Amino acid sequence: SFQQRLSYTTLSDLALALLDGTVFEIVQGLLEIQHLTEKSLYNQRLRLQNEHRVLRQALRQKHQEAQQACRPHNLPVLQAAQQRELEAVEHRIREEQRAMDRKIVLELDRKVADQQSTLEKAGVAGFYVTTNPQELMLQMNLLELIRKLQQRGCRAGKAALGLGGPWQPPAAHYDQEGSPVPP
């Protein structure tokens, strides 16, 4: 179905956009930014979970100490108050987690829109800012195609040159002032 949704014109326009390699560099840069963003958001969520874990431990410790210092006839009243406090803390934790998750989703949605806009401005066929799930899937498939072409192009280039390592530009020659001299 992905191939059926791509017209010959779209494929031709995509091929033209890929010719000079700039789109590959843009996609690689966007991928790196996305990974950094995802890592940052993941770490923020982990910090929040750790804060919640510490908060729960402190509350349990406080409740245990209060129960040990409490007179037996006051224990049921204390336990009821502690249960209410625990429920309030758990409610606050759930709300903070929901707020963090909403923040993460919004940030990722912004990243997607930024990526779409960047690729559209670079003239990559099929890319424009949208939230339509079908169009998003098409764009994801186009990105996957670009990544596969990039990987194949890199392997094919190495094989054609008989090299095992990454491509290196020819060494430039410089004059005494540091200006490049043609070979």
Side-chain angles (χ1 to χ4, degrees):
S1 66
F2 164 63
Q3 291 173 339
Q4 293 170 348
R5 298 200 58 212
L6 287 177
S7 69
Y8 176 78
T9 305
T10 302
L11 285 174
S12 295
D13 291 346
L14 180 60
L16 287 173
L18 297 175
L19 282 178
D20 72 355
T22 305
V23 171
F24 293 130
E25 292 174 16
I26 292 170
V27 168
Q28 186 62 38
L30 291 174
L31 186 62
E32 290 169 9
I33 291 168
Q34 179 179 333
H35 287 161
L36 289 173
T37 301
E38 289 171 351
K39 185 176 181 179
S40 172
L41 292 170
Y42 176 76
N43 287 332
Q44 287 176 34
R45 193 162 199 293
L46 281 181
R47 276 193 299 278
L48 181 65
Q49 288 175 330
N50 189 47
E51 289 171 15
H52 290 159
R53 185 181 50 78
V54 168
L55 178 65
R56 284 181 177 116
Q57 286 176 341
L59 187 62
R60 273 194 299 273
Q61 182 67 31
K62 175 183 148 191
H63 286 181
Q64 284 178 347
E65 290 171 1
Q67 286 178 12
Q68 289 171 354
C70 183
R71 296 180 184 221
H73 66 279
N74 290 335
L75 192 58
V77 173
L78 175 66
Q79 288 174 330
Q82 289 177 338
Q83 183 62 33
R84 286 190 302 274
E85 182 181 22
L86 177 63
E87 288 169 2
V89 167
E90 289 297 329
H91 177 74
R92 187 182 110 212
I93 287 172
R94 279 192 306 276
E95 289 302 312
E96 287 177 2
Q97 286 175 335
R98 280 189 196 115
M100 174 62 76
D101 291 344
R102 281 191 297 271
K103 175 188 172 214
I104 289 170
V105 168
L106 287 173
E107 180 65 25
L108 292 174
D109 284 347
R110 275 193 291 274
K111 280 293 169 212
V112 168
D114 290 346
Q115 291 172 344
Q116 292 169 329
S117 176
T118 299
L119 292 167
E120 180 181 26
K121 288 174 185 170
V124 181
F127 285 91
Y128 55 92
V129 178
T130 182
T131 57
N132 179 311
Q134 290 176 324
E135 295 301 316
L136 285 170
M137 188 57 69
L138 180 65
Q139 290 178 352
M140 288 169 52
N141 287 325
L142 283 171
L143 277 174
E144 185 63 27
L145 174 63
I146 291 169
R147 296 280 298 145
K148 284 181 180 178
L149 289 172
Q150 181 180 25
Q151 290 168 353
R152 286 189 182 155
C154 189
R155 284 196 304 267
K158 287 179 194 175
L161 295 172
L163 301 174
W167 178 82
Q168 295 290 323
H173 300 283
Y174 298 93
D175 63 17
Q176 291 178 345
E177 285 85 38
S179 300
V181 175

